């Protein structure tokens, strides 16, 4: 439990606000943040970078048989999102009265991701919604 | 004095119609729709709670205000459905909108009026120059016991207001605010209980009507204003009927209250209700117009505000997400079984 809350806490900036980083040497943006730039290695100069939270659906799939943690949310949609700034990330696409399609524009929203049983922590996380 | 620098709201997309609930309990939908003046209510998604609603509203408020969230010095979240019993919702919101850590924050609870209590606290802090901006939020995913009359109204939504004292930034100034409070056992929920209990008919006259009337009359006395001096009036709206009755008794006409009355289409968002009503009026108000706002929270108390709209309101409209855009777009109608599943998610908390 103690380990779980400490590791959750370290990820708040990424999970809540899509804060990644940018290598000032080659201007490549990373989400989730990386310590070493793929292009620059030892010449990496990382700085915090606030992603816009906007992007488009690169691919998606509907999950009908989920893991235990997401049992109550099924069926739900997971997508690979190409962020405006370049990186591709996996994320939940929330039900928003519009069917997801490849190429459709999305923006980040703030939602519950999962709860650690009846008594544990609630994990909040960005998800994506069709614009 | 202090005023509103920006605001934002959030209401989940899910809706359930009165007919759908009435079918399950063998009630007559027409008499319920007429009796409560409500047609449908909002329902949170399984991954939405008072914290996620507060964050969405708060982010829109920051966008609308144009301020740097880092300059917010106080953050209060009023709710009766905070996701944790111990662990503040306000700190989750502060992290999600990136206020700095030089911040005082607290969760407030006063049934449906905790949001407006937060506005008063922020107003005091900015007027005394202790902080530059304060944010007050009212947000709820309220719950009605199955088959109870409350099940037709208890809904989800919230509003966030950024309060500041610099008049050049205000879209509306709070001219005066006053409260009327007394120990009244009209509605309650004990720790650990899933659903609230209420005193049935007792919730009307000695609770809602008495507190709203006394707080509003107090405000009239302090300001010299009368009902006809206001272009708009917003009252707490546990159903679509009470605010119409109380406004008439206070001398208001229907045209003054219609724009701030949202319960008929989204239900009673509890701590969010007065905030959403005020936001809907600000969405359309013109400079120099006056707004009366009187909230009500069971237990019981009312906060009343005289608000004057400023020129800045037009300038900031470009960055505004209007209440009507949020509550009328891409609604998702659900049946009673989906509603139960979503509500199960809420109840787990
Ligand atoms: Zn690089």
């Amino acid at each position: 439990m103690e380990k779980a809350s400490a590791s959750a806490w370290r990820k708040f900036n990424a999970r809540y606000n899509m804060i990644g980083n940018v290598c000032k040497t080659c201007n490549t943006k990373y989400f989730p943040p990386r310590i070493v730039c793929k292009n620059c290695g030892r010449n990496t100069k990382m700085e915090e970078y606030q992603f816009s939270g906007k992007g488009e659906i690169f691919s998606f799939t509907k999950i009908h048989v989920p893991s235990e943690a997401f049992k109550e949310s099924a069926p739900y949609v997971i997508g690979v999102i190409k962020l405006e700034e370049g990186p591709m990330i996996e994320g939940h696409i929330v039900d928003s009265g519009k069917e997801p399609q490849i190429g459709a524009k999305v923006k980040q929203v703030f939602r519950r991701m999962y709860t650690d049983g009846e008594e544990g922590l609630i994990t909040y996380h960005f998800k994506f919604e069709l614009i | 004095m202090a005023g509103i620098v920006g605001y934002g709201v959030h209401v989940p997309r899910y809706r359930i119609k009165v007919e759908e609930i009435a079918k399950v309990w063998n009630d007559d939908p027409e008499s319920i729709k007429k009796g409560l003046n409500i047609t449908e209510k909002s329902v949170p998604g399984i991954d939405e709670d008072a914290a996620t609603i507060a964050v969405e509203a708060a982010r829109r408020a920051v966008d609308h205000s144009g301020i740097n969230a880092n300059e917010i010095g106080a953050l209060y979240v009023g709710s009766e459905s905070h996701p944790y019993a111990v662990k503040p919702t306000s700190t989750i919101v502060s992290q999600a909108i990136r206020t700095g850590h030089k911040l005082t924050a607290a969760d407030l609870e006063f049934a449906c009026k905790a949001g407006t209590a937060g506005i008063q606290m922020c107003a005091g802090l900015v007027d005394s120059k202790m902080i530059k901006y304060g944010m007050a939020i009212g947000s709820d995913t309220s719950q009605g016991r199955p088959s109870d009359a409350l099940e037709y109204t208890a809904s989800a939504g919230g509003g966030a207001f950024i309060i500041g004292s610099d008049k050049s930034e205000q879209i509306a100034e709070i001219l005066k605010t006053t409260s009327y409070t007394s120990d009244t056992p009209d509605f309650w929920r004990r720790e650990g209980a899933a659903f609230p209990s209420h005193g049935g008919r007792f919730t009307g006259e000695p609770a809602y009507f008495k507190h709203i009337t006394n707080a509003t009359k107090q405000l009239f006395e302090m300001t010299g204003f009368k009902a006809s001096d206001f272009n708009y009036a917003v009252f707490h709206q546990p159903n679509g009927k009470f605010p119409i009755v109380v406004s008439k008794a206070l001398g208001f006409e229907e045209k003054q209250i219609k724009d701030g009355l949202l319960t008929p289409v989204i239900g009673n968002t509890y701590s969010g209700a007065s905030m959403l009503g005020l936001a809907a009026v600000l969405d359309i108000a013109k400079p120099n117009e006056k707004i009366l706002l009187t909230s009500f929270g069971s237990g019981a108390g009312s906060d009343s505000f005289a608000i004057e709209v400023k020129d800045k309101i037009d300038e900031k409209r470009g960055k505004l997400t209007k209440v009507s855009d949020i509550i009328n777009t891409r609604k998702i109608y659900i049946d009673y079984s989906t509603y139960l599943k979503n509500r199960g998610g809420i109840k787990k908390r």
Side-chain angles (χ1 to χ4, degrees):
Chain A
M1 190 75 90
E2 191 183 316
K3 203 176 146 208
S5 37
S7 83
W9 178 69
R10 275 193 295 273
K11 290 175 187 145
F12 277 170
N13 267 339
R15 281 182 178 171
Y16 285 19
N17 298 308
M18 297 197 67
I19 292 164
N21 55 10
V22 57
C23 170
K24 296 310 271 184
T25 310
C26 69
N27 208 32
T28 306
K29 289 158 189 146
Y30 292 100
F31 191 86
R34 283 178 62 98
I35 293 167
V36 178
C37 176
K38 280 182 191 165
N39 308 322
C40 306
R42 216 184 286 189
N43 297 319
T44 297
K45 269 177 82 179
M46 287 298 191
E47 252 179 34
E48 190 180 281
Y49 183 83
Q50 167 81 62
F51 280 76
S52 68
K54 290 184 182 146
E56 60 177 61
I57 299 176
F58 180 76
S59 78
F60 67 94
T61 179
K62 202 172 213 172
I63 311 279
H64 291 274
V65 187
S67 63
E68 189 62 26
F70 298 108
K71 202 177 65 187
E72 286 175 348
S73 321
Y76 59 91
V77 178
I78 294 276
V80 175
I81 309 298
K82 184 168 168 44
L83 298 175
E84 256 181 7
E85 296 89 347
M88 300 262 235
I89 61 163
E90 202 181 88
H92 285 239
I93 299 171
V94 302
D95 183 12
S96 67
K98 242 184 179 179
E99 282 302 310
Q101 279 180 342
I102 288 171
K105 301 265 184 252
V106 294
K107 63 168 194 250
Q108 65 155 327
V109 290
F110 187 80
R111 296 295 177 95
R112 258 178 197 225
M113 190 58 106
Y114 41 78
T115 53
D116 181 10
E118 290 286 331
E119 295 189 356
L121 280 174
I122 302 165
T123 298
Y124 293 97
H125 206 286
F126 64 82
K127 293 186 179 179
F128 293 99
E129 183 181 77
L130 274 89
I131 293 173
Chain B
M1 68 177 264
I4 298 160
V5 172
Y7 64 95
V9 304
H10 185 72
V11 177
R13 293 185 188 278
Y14 297 99
R15 297 286 184 282
I16 188 163
K17 287 182 185 284
V18 164
E19 286 84 352
E20 183 64 25
I21 301 173
K23 201 168 66 187
V24 175
W25 304 112
N26 245 331
D27 287 336
D28 172 29
E30 290 314 311
S31 71
I32 283 163
K33 283 162 85 169
K34 225 178 126 212
L36 298 173
N37 185 24
I38 181 171
T39 55
E40 58 193 48
K41 66 167 189 172
S42 67
V43 180
I46 201 158
D47 58 358
E48 291 178 285
D49 61 23
T52 65
I53 291 170
V55 167
E56 294 292 354
R59 284 179 173 169
R60 289 185 179 121
V62 171
D63 285 348
H64 175 235
S65 70
I67 70 159
N68 182 344
N70 206 18
E71 292 186 291
I72 294 172
L75 202 166
Y76 300 110
V77 182
S79 181
E80 55 170 63
S81 49
H82 290 291
Y84 289 97
V86 178
K87 159 89 189 73
T89 307
S90 47
T91 53
I92 298 169
V93 177
S94 94
Q95 173 74 32
I97 64 171
R98 303 195 82 194
T99 67
H101 299 296
K102 189 178 175 189
L103 174 83
T104 176
D107 286 10
L108 307 178
E109 191 275 313
F110 194 146
C112 299
K113 84 161 192 88
T116 57
I119 293 181
Q120 290 179 326
M121 290 164 73
C122 289
L125 289 169
V126 299
D127 275 342
S128 64
K129 308 281 176 212
M130 281 178 68
I131 57 168
K132 186 166 183 195
Y133 303 114
M135 180 183 268
I137 301 174
S139 169
D140 258 307
T141 53
S142 58
Q143 300 142 65
R145 198 185 297 277
S147 93
D148 187 286
L150 282 181
E151 193 179 18
Y152 288 101
T153 52
S155 70
F161 285 82
I162 300 175
I163 307 298
S165 61
D166 183 345
K167 284 187 193 286
S168 72
E169 298 180 339
Q170 294 174 356
I171 58 158
E173 184 182 356
I174 299 169
L175 301 174
K176 209 72 155 188
T177 176
T178 183
S179 301
Y180 184 90
T181 307
S182 79
D183 184 11
T184 308
D186 57 325
F187 178 95
W188 62 91
R189 179 167 69 82
R190 293 271 300 275
E191 180 78 48
F195 300 109
S197 304
H198 57 83
R201 299 189 85 106
F202 187 62
T203 56
E205 211 46 59
Y208 180 89
F209 291 101
K210 178 179 148 190
H211 290 80
I212 291 211
T213 304
N214 285 338
T216 308
K217 283 185 173 164
Q218 243 169 241
L219 187 83
F220 285 172
E221 273 165 33
M222 288 165 69
T223 56
F225 293 144
K226 52 191 184 306
S228 59
D229 291 321
F230 293 93
N231 302 80
Y232 305 95
V234 179
F235 297 98
H236 177 53
Q237 32 204 279
N239 51 54
K241 211 79 184 253
F242 279 17
I244 294 176
V245 175
V246 83
S247 64
K248 261 194 199 132
L250 284 162
F252 291 91
E253 292 175 48
E254 201 181 331
K255 63 174 189 208
Q256 289 164 287
I257 67 153
K258 66 173 177 27
D259 296 300
L261 185 56
L262 304 174
T263 295
V265 290
I266 61 170
N268 177 12
T269 55
Y270 285 54
S271 302
S274 301
M275 315 290 267
L276 276 154
L278 175 59
V281 164
L282 287 170
D283 280 354
I284 54 165
K286 292 188 263 316
N288 301 318
E289 288 188 326
K290 286 193 185 66
I291 303 166
L292 173 105
L293 167 68
T294 306
S295 63
F296 170 72
S298 292
S302 280
D303 305 323
S304 192
F305 300 78
I307 296 167
E308 187 174 67
V309 181
K310 298 289 175 192
D311 292 338
K312 199 85 185 169
I313 199 161
D314 288 329
E315 199 182 305
K316 286 193 182 176
R317 281 225 164 98
K319 292 184 226 154
L320 179 67
T321 312
K322 286 188 176 184
V323 176
S324 58
D325 293 338
I326 290 168
I327 67 177
N328 297 327
T329 359
R330 282 150 66 189
K331 291 188 276 190
I332 304 168
Y333 286 96
I334 56 173
D335 58 17
Y336 197 82
S337 55
T338 309
Y339 166 70
L340 276 187
K341 181 181 154 184
N342 285 15
R343 213 200 45 200
I346 301 159
K347 215 184 82 183
K348 274 226 155 97
R349 292 186 309 136

